[in-house]
Amino acid sequence: MISPTWSLKLLFTVKQPLKNKKTAVGSARKKCRKLQFIETFFQTHDLVTAKQLLSSMMQYAVNGKGWIKENPSVILQFHKSLCIFIHEGYMISKKTKKWQVNAPSDIGSPMMKSSLSDKEYENPILVFKRAFKEYSIQEFDYFISGIVYFSQQMYRHGPESNLVRPYIHLSKMLDAAYLILEKGLQKSNNKKIK
């Protein structure tokens, strides 16, 4: 049995950072983590459900005459998942030169493309790059918090900022992230990552 003092020491022990970050363990850990949060997001919320929940939150936030009928705990958990998704999307947008998406066979039906243009369908990483060129992480966090807040209550005066552009970017990022998971990523020197 573990003594309480020993477990407290273990809890408050400060881990020393690795001096050489290019060790075998560190690089293997990095490779496993590349799309782990996005995979987890889509395991928790499938694409259709996530887009429907985001859309209904947006409708209630803009309308202001009622509040969303979903359980508040579901909304708050979705809020947290979207915030993590946004931060991971930002990391993807910064690695556009190192990563590329496996080439698509052909553009099938328009339903497969969803909200993406032909160019974005061929390279979904462009969606993240364009979104974070127009808005910062903090602005996306503010948007997500705003639609959660305004979808949970009735109000007289609506949101102060334009919610449509961040909503469109977030919807496209969900489509692009799902497409990246479907096609897989590879490094620019053609070594497959996912």
Side-chain angles (χ1 to χ4, degrees), residues 42-98:
F42 286 116
Q43 287 171 356
T44 309
H45 315 281
D46 63 297
L47 179 63
V48 175
T49 307
K51 288 181 78 173
Q52 284 176 346
L53 187 56
L54 182 64
S55 176
S56 65
M57 285 170 51
M58 183 70 177
Q59 288 173 355
Y60 280 102
V62 172
N63 189 3
K65 295 184 175 150
W67 56 84
I68 196 164
K69 306 300 185 252
E70 286 286 331
N71 187 346
S73 64
V74 172
I75 300 295
L76 293 175
Q77 193 271 338
F78 186 65
H79 169 261
K80 187 65 177 169
S81 297
L82 277 178
C83 288
I84 294 171
F85 177 82
I86 291 295
H87 288 262
E88 196 66 22
Y90 179 75
M91 296 308 292
I92 289 173
S93 74
K94 293 300 174 193
K95 306 262 183 184
T96 56
K97 293 181 181 177
K98 291 183 180 180

Side-chain angles (χ1 to χ4, degrees), residues 162-189:
N162 181 9
L163 299 178
V164 176
R165 292 290 300 159
Y167 168 73
I168 291 170
H169 280 300
L170 187 56
S171 180
K172 282 183 152 193
M173 282 193 281
L174 287 170
D175 289 334
Y178 190 77
L179 191 60
I180 288 171
L181 286 179
E182 288 293 315
K183 291 181 179 181
L185 271 179
Q186 59 184 341
K187 283 198 173 199
S188 292
N189 59 3

Side-chain angles (χ1 to χ4, degrees), residues 18-29:
L18 292 174
K19 296 195 188 237
N20 184 2
K21 292 191 178 193
K22 294 188 177 185
T23 60
V25 175
S27 62
R29 190 177 303 136

Side-chain angles (χ1 to χ4, degrees), residues 147-163:
I147 64 170
V148 166
Y149 176 78
F150 285 112
S151 68
Q152 294 289 312
Q153 63 181 357
M154 294 190 308
Y155 55 87
R156 287 187 184 177
H157 304 290
E160 298 170 359
S161 62
N162 181 9
L163 299 178

